[in-house]
Amino acid sequence: MLTGLRGVGKTVLLEELRSMAEERRWMAAFVEAGDTRPFRTLAAGALTSSLRAASWRHRSSARLQRALGVFKSFSLHGSPDGSIAVGIDADRVAGRADTGDLELDLCELVTELGEAAADMGTGVLLAVDELQALARSDMAAILAAAHQASRQRLPVAVAGAGLPNLPALLMDVKTYSERLFSYRRIGTLDTDDAREALERPAEALGVSWQPAAVDRVISDAAGHPYFLQLFGKLTWDFAPGPDVIGAEDASVGVTWARRDLNANFYGTRWQRATPAQRAYLAAMAAEAGDADAAVSTGRVAARLGKTHSAFGPCRDQLIRKGLVYASGRGLVAFTVPGMTAFINSLSD
């Protein structure tokens, strides 16, 4: 389970896991939660192409044919017209993964796929991004399926990514999730890694960064991977070249990058909030001061002159929009770094 704020590279890492699995010819699915469609539909759709490829490679495997038939039963509850399983040449297996109860059905599907993978000498990967956006029942189904596969020692891997509060959410759903997964917090890059991220791609193209230029970008990005990527890109775009990036180039690149962040990274999030929600966000930012620290929901409510319970619906809506997250009991924080400073600057 990969956790961290937005823009630190969780999705990229999860995609890399999927790519590694597919290189080994595993049956792999990448699901992005938060879609309005049911999780069953998303999971079935994500598995389809990988299962088609497996069925072509292992046409003689009776065990795989049965698993494909169970997959058809599973997918029909998400797509009664059978459109998800188009291209899966197998007869539906009735009585398996077709109860309509996602937790039971996903456990049975994962078991069937895991047993088929063991028979073929491959594996199964279910990768789920934005896990915290799932309904509690969907989380329960994923955890139960992972737990069952682990108990049965099947070659099944479940990987996920989400905001920093994901471990607590999963543990609240199934207490055994604490020992079921390896949790990795993804954060900022240290100075050496940030420097390498800027210099190595440039060196491959015969371009060098002057020390002052690298230092400027690293300092302003503060180790945040997305900021480092954006600042580096715009510095590259605006540098006249041909083969050296100087301090002035970095200054121009950072200036334009900050304009881009304000308009497209922070600004779009701010615009998604209603006036009442913006008032709550502004109170959060004022309470946090100059830091991106978690703040007390009670103190935020007090700033707005109302009781803590009065802002429960507003806070929940902001969480669903992905603008804030509950970082602890009675605490709330922004999901993106620098949001505090952006909001406070609006009142300057």
Side-chain angles (χ1 to χ4, degrees), residues 28-54:
F30 184 100
V31 179
E32 183 174 353
D35 194 295
T36 56
R37 292 173 295 170
F39 179 76
R40 180 191 295 265
T41 303
L42 296 174
L47 270 170
T48 300
S49 62
S50 186
L51 293 183
R52 279 202 299 260

Side-chain angles (χ1 to χ4, degrees), residues 21 24 31 59 98 124 126-127 154 176 181 185 204 210 254 277 300 310:
R24 290 159 175 77
V31 179
R59 291 187 296 274
D98 60 0
V124 179
L126 174 61
L154 296 174
Y176 56 68
F181 298 105
R185 180 68 179 266
Q210 290 182 348
V254 167
Q277 291 166 0
V300 171

Side-chain angles (χ1 to χ4, degrees), residues 11 16 19 51 115 132 157 170 212 248 274 340:
T11 301
E16 181 65 16
S19 177
L51 293 183
E115 290 176 349
Q132 80 285 333
L170 296 181
E248 182 60 31
T274 65
T340 298

Side-chain angles (χ1 to χ4, degrees), residues 280 294-300 308 315 325-333:
Y280 191 89
V295 297
S296 162
T297 54
R299 292 179 65 88
V300 171
H308 172 270
R315 185 173 60 254
Y325 71 99
S327 59
R329 186 174 181 82
L331 296 173
V332 67

